Amino acid sequence: MIYLELFWSFFQIGLCSIGGGYAAMPLIQSQVVDTHHWMTMTQFVDIITISQMTPGPIAINSATFVGIQIAGIPGAIIATIGCIVPSCIIVLTIAYFYYKYQKLTMVQGILGGLRPAVVAMIASAGISILLLSFFGNEPVSYQLSQIDVFSVILFAASLLVLRIWKVNPIYVMLGAGAIGLGYFLLF
């Protein structure tokens, strides 16, 4: 039964995650944390973090990591297949019709309407992870004493390094991981 639930959950995610992996994060969170309670929000953020550090699309990596945690290697395979199948079908269908009708105004209008929705889904996932990083599992508070100052400083420094100096994100992740490890070993 768990295999069917994993397949169906990630099939739905694969079917509805228009805009790629980052847009899928709220959908994955909804299925894994809210609907099935397979993980806590902290575990989910850890899975997303690991998915970011491994090569490949984040939605597929997340499906694999969630599947392995829930039902071992067979669960990882089933969740990953569930995530991939709808995408394959949709991409093949869309590619055919896009190639055939790409110059139509209606097609351009549909794509223009989808862009803001995708950005909103990505922003929603980012804000959820940001709040968890800054406040932990506690409810969001406007009291400065509740904020994890180290996380805020590390976030701001990483953002500056990425945006101003255009450092490769891999180096920023490695550096932030090393700094975080050092900080938590010392404190």
Side-chain angles (χ1 to χ4, degrees):
M1 186 65 174
I2 189 70
Y3 297 124
L4 185 59
E5 288 178 357
L6 274 170
F7 180 84
W8 181 242
S9 291
F10 282 97
F11 184 88
Q12 291 173 358
I13 291 164
L15 185 64
C16 298
S17 58
I18 296 170
Y22 295 110
M25 284 196 285
L27 301 173
I28 298 169
Q29 176 187 339
S30 173
Q31 287 289 326
V32 172
V33 177
D34 302 331
T35 302
H36 295 289
H37 306 289
W38 288 328
M39 296 181 173
T40 65
M41 187 60 179
T42 303
Q43 291 171 318
F44 172 73
V45 171
D46 291 343
I47 292 291
I48 294 298
T49 303
I50 292 169
S51 297
Q52 288 287 323
M53 295 180 348
T54 55
I58 189 169
I60 295 171
N61 290 349
S62 297
T64 304
F65 288 128
V66 169
I68 206 161
Q69 185 164 357
I70 302 306
I73 297 211
I77 292 168
I78 288 170
T80 303
I81 289 171
C83 192
I84 292 171
V85 167
S87 300
C88 291
I89 295 167
I90 291 169
V91 167
L92 289 172
T93 305
I94 289 175
Y96 172 78
F97 285 109
Y98 179 74
Y99 181 72
K100 191 171 181 177
Y101 301 109
Q102 64 185 333
K103 296 191 188 321
L104 292 178
T105 307
M106 183 175 72
V107 171
Q108 295 304 316
I110 290 169
L111 293 175
L114 287 174
R115 286 183 197 113
V118 169
V119 171
M121 291 174 75
I122 293 169
S124 172
I127 290 169
S128 294
I129 292 171
L130 184 74
L131 291 175
L132 183 67
S133 176
F134 288 179
F135 295 100
N137 287 329
E138 302 299 319
V140 175
S141 171
Y142 296 104
Q143 296 176 349
L144 291 178
S145 63
Q146 300 295 342
I147 295 175
D148 182 353
V149 177
F150 175 75
S151 293
V152 173
I153 292 169
L154 191 55
F155 168 77
S158 298
L159 187 63
L160 287 173
V161 168
L162 285 168
R163 300 301 299 170
I164 294 175
W165 293 292
K166 310 271 190 245
V167 173
N168 186 324
I170 293 171
Y171 298 137
V172 174
M173 285 187 350
L174 290 172
I179 291 168
L181 177 64
Y183 177 81
F184 288 108
L185 286 177
L186 292 174
F187 300 101

